[in-house]
Amino acid sequence: MEQEKRDIYNQAMKNVDEQTSCRSGLNTRDLKIALNKLREVDPARYRKAESGIVADLSACIAKIGRSFPERATEYKKQAIKLFPGNSAIANVAIVPKDPCDLSLAGLGARGKRAICRDRLAGEEKGPSLVVIPAKGSMKAFALGKYEVSVDEWNQFCASDGNCPVKKNTSGDLPITSVSSSEVKSYLAWISDKAKRKYRLPTRAEWEYAARAGQAKLDSNRNCKLNSRGIQKGDSLIKTEVGAQNRWGLVNHVGNARELVADRGGALVAIGGSFQTPMEDCTANLAESFSQADDITGFRVLREIVER
């Protein structure tokens, strides 16, 4: 009988080890059955082994969490039921995987798989972002592939309730005629919804991303031109229309001027607009900004936390 008891215990422990090793996922139902068998067959021996089991289970949940945070969160809830009040399991940190992984840096022009978007709690996904590589003391960051659109602004207004939805403007145009305080509110809202830090880019960050290591600008950018029968720059165009630069930014020069934070925190409008003469419409054109106007919009920067 003692030998049979040891055999049953050892088989149950083998089943526990198979689950907590994480080699083939985690089946908490099978784990519960095995744990109950251990506790029933030899309670004293189980009590000695419990801390090791908990440590292995915690490590398994943390490992799964690095790639599948939602799945790991559910496993953690089930594990707490198996070990009520256990602090080791309760303290397992599950860090959501960042969709804007550093492996995407500099690849934003290579199609949909190189674009990242954050989930917004209770909303549709956030703006399309591309990852800008680090340079010197400047850390890598994610930047809006496009200027923030009217549709994206209306999503904020409908959710937050502190601004009127713009009904008489095409939703795929860049949002303009918004004040700095309204932009600040939008950035606070999306930061809260995404649980990530969104802000305006600094002037240095914006210019670095806009140039993307290239000296040549798109000759067809939406700036003012009236020469040899070619007329451009009559109005705003859709945020997603236009050539992208090497890192995936679209309409970064021309279309709507974009707000950035200059030295000392002052806001300037950079990159020129559809009203800017083509010869002046460059990545380093910075103009003063004091109040909302119909040629100034913005694109978002989302910080990347390196782990």
Side-chain angles (χ1 to χ4, degrees), residues 2 4 6 18 20 28 45 56 66-67 79 119 122 147 151 159 168 173 179-180 192 235 251 257 266 279 294:
E2 286 299 319
E4 182 181 359
R6 283 194 293 271
E18 183 178 342
T20 58
T28 53
R45 188 177 173 189
D56 291 344
R66 288 192 284 273
S67 299
R119 293 183 180 276
E147 297 158 328
D151 277 343
S159 173
N168 300 321
L173 292 177
S179 67
S180 58
D192 178 64
S235 61
N251 281 323
R257 304 187 305 175
E279 62 271 19
D294 59 4

Side-chain angles (χ1 to χ4, degrees), residues 14-34:
K14 182 179 179 181
N15 293 341
V16 168
D17 290 340
E18 183 178 342
Q19 293 302 323
T20 58
S21 67
C22 259
R23 286 190 293 268
S24 56
L26 179 60
N27 186 320
T28 53
R29 179 177 177 276
D30 288 352
L31 178 61
K32 180 180 179 180
I33 293 171

Side-chain angles (χ1 to χ4, degrees), residues 169-285:
T169 306
S170 178
D172 48 18
L173 292 177
I175 184 67
T176 59
S177 301
V178 289
S179 67
S180 58
S181 61
E182 288 175 315
V183 172
K184 185 178 179 180
S185 295
Y186 174 86
L187 295 169
W189 171 81
I190 196 171
S191 294
D192 178 64
K193 290 290 184 179
K195 303 306 177 189
R196 309 275 186 181
K197 175 63 176 177
Y198 279 77
R199 59 176 173 82
L200 288 176
T202 66
R203 180 174 177 177
E205 288 167 333
W206 190 95
E207 289 188 13
Y208 169 61
R211 290 192 176 92
Q214 295 173 312
K216 190 175 181 181
L217 289 169
D218 174 25
S219 60
N220 200 36
R221 59 196 182 276
N222 188 29
C223 304
K224 197 74 170 179
L225 178 66
N226 190 348
S227 175
R228 299 179 182 180
I230 300 174
Q231 186 169 341
K232 289 177 58 61
D234 294 326
S235 61
L236 291 169
I237 61 173
K238 297 177 182 180
T239 60
E240 298 185 11
V241 171
Q244 59 186 353
N245 72 4
R246 191 162 64 96
W247 289 341
L249 299 188
V250 176
N251 281 323
H252 45 294
V253 176
N255 208 30
R257 304 187 305 175
E258 298 179 17
L259 291 176
V260 298
D262 205 355
R263 293 179 181 178
L267 295 185
V268 295
I270 199 166
S273 72
F274 66 92
Q275 292 184 353
T276 306
M278 185 66 75
E279 62 271 19
D280 299 325
C281 203
T282 62
N284 61 356
L285 175 63

Side-chain angles (χ1 to χ4, degrees), residues 127-130 142-147 248-250 299-302:
S128 296
L129 306 168
V130 294
L143 192 63
K145 183 176 179 70
Y146 312 108
E147 297 158 328
L249 299 188
V250 176
R299 76 179 67 216
V300 296
L301 181 147
R302 202 268 269 166

